[in-house]
């Protein structure tokens, strides 16, 4: 039984131009990567909820040069709980669904929402707002054969309302749409569990039954707090924050986790380990493929019982 059917890395543009994305894709092809998640919001592809025709043509032509399976990361700043911008965000996300369709990507990543501390009284309304938006987007995505993957994020400012990984799973269950799945970002869950005093393994286990996409990168699960590094490498030296390190650099027990959890069929294991770690990407790719094989064997054993 193959639950995890793709393993790869994320890729994007450094400067908003296609040349840096192309360079990233060529490097990933050279190390034998077969699945890529495109950070399409690093390019000017959508303006005011509308696709820019000449830009999407360039993206299609570029992606067709490579034999990759593609997924798409939506707006990194996405927040369907935000009343002021939710309509604009839905329109942009629908355009990105169409981008997925044009390049043959079956997943669009959507970040879970948040409320500022001074809006905390709107919590019930915000939860409903996000669920309504996800339902509308999933309806739109269905005829395009795209699944929306709702990602768990961590608290980024004091007093913020942010759903725990288990609560993200409850949102997916409440919307109850075939084109909406959960996305487990293991490091995000680790950081948030530490911050809130939650059981990390229990939190990701709550997400697993509705998870159809995975973001994998290593960390020590230590919240950023108010510490500000001069160089990004200083966070790495201290093991603080959402580090996006190669597998094995942190202390996440990957083999134990992937032997234990079962995800939805046709799940992609996507490593958010960027070009900063180009030299380490081949080793992470080898380990991630072994994790996928381990998980698929475990799922087969469970199914045979």
């Amino acid at each position: 039984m193959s639950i995890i059917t793709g393993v790869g890395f994320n890729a994007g543009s450094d400067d908003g131009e296609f040349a840096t994305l192309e360079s990233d894709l060529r490097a990933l092809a050279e190390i034998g990567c077969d699945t890529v998640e495109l950070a399409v919001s690093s390019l000017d592809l959508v303006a005011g909820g509308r696709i820019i025709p000449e830009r999407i043509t360039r993206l299609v032509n570029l992606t067709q040069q490579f034999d990759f399976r593609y997924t798409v990361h939506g707006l990194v700043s996405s927040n369907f709980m935000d009343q002021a911008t939710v309509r604009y965000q839905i329109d942009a996300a629908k355009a990105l669904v169409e981008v997925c369709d044009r390049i043959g990507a079956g997943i669009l990543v959507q970040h879970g929402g948040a409320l500022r501390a001074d809006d905390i009284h709107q919590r019930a309304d915000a939860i409903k707002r996000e669920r309504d938006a996800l339902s509308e987007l999933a309806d739109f995505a269905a005829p395009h054969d795209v699944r929306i993957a709702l990602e768990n994020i961590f608290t980024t400012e004091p007093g913020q309302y942010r759903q725990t990984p288990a609560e993200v799973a409850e949102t997916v269950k409440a919307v109850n749409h075939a084109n909406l799945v959960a996305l487990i970002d293991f490091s995000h869950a680790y950081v948030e569990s530490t911050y809130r005093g939650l059981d990390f393994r229990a939190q990701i286990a709550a997400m697993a039954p509705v998870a159809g996409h995975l973001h994998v990168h290593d960390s020590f699960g230590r919240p950023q707090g108010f510490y500000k590094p001069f160089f990004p490498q200083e966070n790495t030296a201290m093991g603080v924050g959402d580090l996006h390190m190669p597998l094995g650099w942190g202390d996440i027990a990957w083999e134990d986790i992937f032997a234990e959890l079962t995800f939805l069929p046709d799940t992609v294991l996507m490593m958010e380990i960027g070009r900063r770690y180009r030299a380490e990407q081949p080793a992470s790719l080898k380990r991630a493929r072994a994790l996928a094989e381990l998980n698929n064997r475990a799922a087969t054993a469970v199914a045979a019982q």
Side-chain angles (χ1 to χ4, degrees):
M1 176 184 293
S2 292
I3 297 295
I4 298 177
T5 57
V7 176
F9 291 99
N10 62 309
S13 171
D14 287 341
D15 56 6
E17 294 295 337
F18 285 86
T20 52
L21 173 60
E22 180 178 358
S23 173
D24 210 3
L25 293 176
R26 293 201 181 282
L28 293 177
E30 287 174 4
I31 66 172
C33 180
D34 56 34
T35 306
V36 172
E37 185 153 292
L38 298 174
V40 295
S41 60
S42 66
L43 300 164
D44 286 301
L45 285 174
V46 176
R50 296 174 297 176
I51 293 176
I52 303 168
E54 60 271 23
R55 285 272 176 156
I56 187 61
T57 298
R58 291 178 65 186
L59 180 65
V60 170
N61 291 340
L62 174 59
T63 56
Q64 288 178 345
Q65 294 178 39
F66 302 92
D67 190 25
F68 290 133
R69 174 183 177 181
Y70 291 105
T71 64
V72 166
H73 200 303
L75 304 180
V76 178
S77 59
S78 56
N79 178 7
F80 281 167
M81 290 188 182
D82 183 49
Q83 186 174 14
T85 62
V86 65
R87 185 68 257 163
Y88 308 143
Q89 291 190 50
I90 294 171
D91 293 343
K94 286 181 177 180
L96 294 178
V97 167
E98 294 179 333
V99 170
C100 289
D101 194 18
R102 291 287 299 273
I103 65 172
I107 283 282
L108 174 65
V109 174
Q110 169 74 28
H111 279 186
L115 280 178
R116 296 186 303 272
D118 56 355
D119 287 333
I120 205 72
H121 61 285
Q122 298 181 13
R123 179 169 163 176
D125 290 341
I127 291 172
K128 183 179 185 302
R129 186 180 303 121
E130 179 177 58
R131 292 179 178 183
D132 289 346
L134 289 168
S135 181
E136 179 180 341
L137 183 59
D139 280 345
F140 183 85
H144 296 280
D145 199 23
V146 172
R147 293 197 293 184
I148 309 303
L150 183 65
E151 180 176 356
N152 61 290
I153 313 297
F154 52 91
T155 300
T156 56
E157 58 186 53
Q160 180 185 65
Y161 169 65
R162 180 76 76 176
Q163 289 192 324
T164 66
E167 288 171 335
V168 171
E170 288 305 312
T171 291
V172 172
K173 293 174 185 177
V175 175
N176 190 27
H177 197 294
N179 288 79
L180 177 68
V181 298
L183 188 169
I184 302 177
D185 187 304
F186 294 90
S187 186
H188 290 179
Y190 193 13
V191 171
E192 187 69 355
S193 295
T194 302
Y195 175 70
R196 294 201 186 199
L198 302 172
D199 184 325
F200 164 55
R201 296 286 286 272
Q203 288 291 309
I204 58 176
M207 290 189 75
V210 291
H213 201 61
L214 309 174
H215 279 175
V216 172
H217 45 97
D218 225 334
S219 76
F220 294 93
R222 300 171 185 168
Q224 183 73 40
F226 293 102
Y227 176 74
K228 294 183 180 180
F230 185 80
F231 297 110
Q233 289 80 0
E234 294 175 351
N235 265 355
T236 304
M238 294 175 61
V240 169
D242 182 31
L243 295 170
H244 289 261
M245 296 188 301
L247 303 188
W249 282 33
D251 63 3
I252 296 177
W254 295 111
E255 281 72 20
D256 290 347
I257 288 169
F258 276 80
E260 176 180 289
L261 300 183
T262 300
F263 313 106
L264 293 175
D266 200 23
T267 289
V268 169
L269 189 167
M270 183 58 55
M271 287 175 286
E272 290 191 313
I273 302 169
R275 61 173 63 86
R276 170 180 163 190
Y277 297 114
R278 187 74 76 205
E280 288 75 26
Q281 283 182 330
S284 284
L285 181 60
K286 181 179 180 180
R287 186 168 181 182
R289 285 174 170 162
L291 292 174
E293 292 176 7
L294 172 64
N295 187 260
N296 289 335
R297 289 197 303 269
T300 298
V302 170
Q305 292 177 356

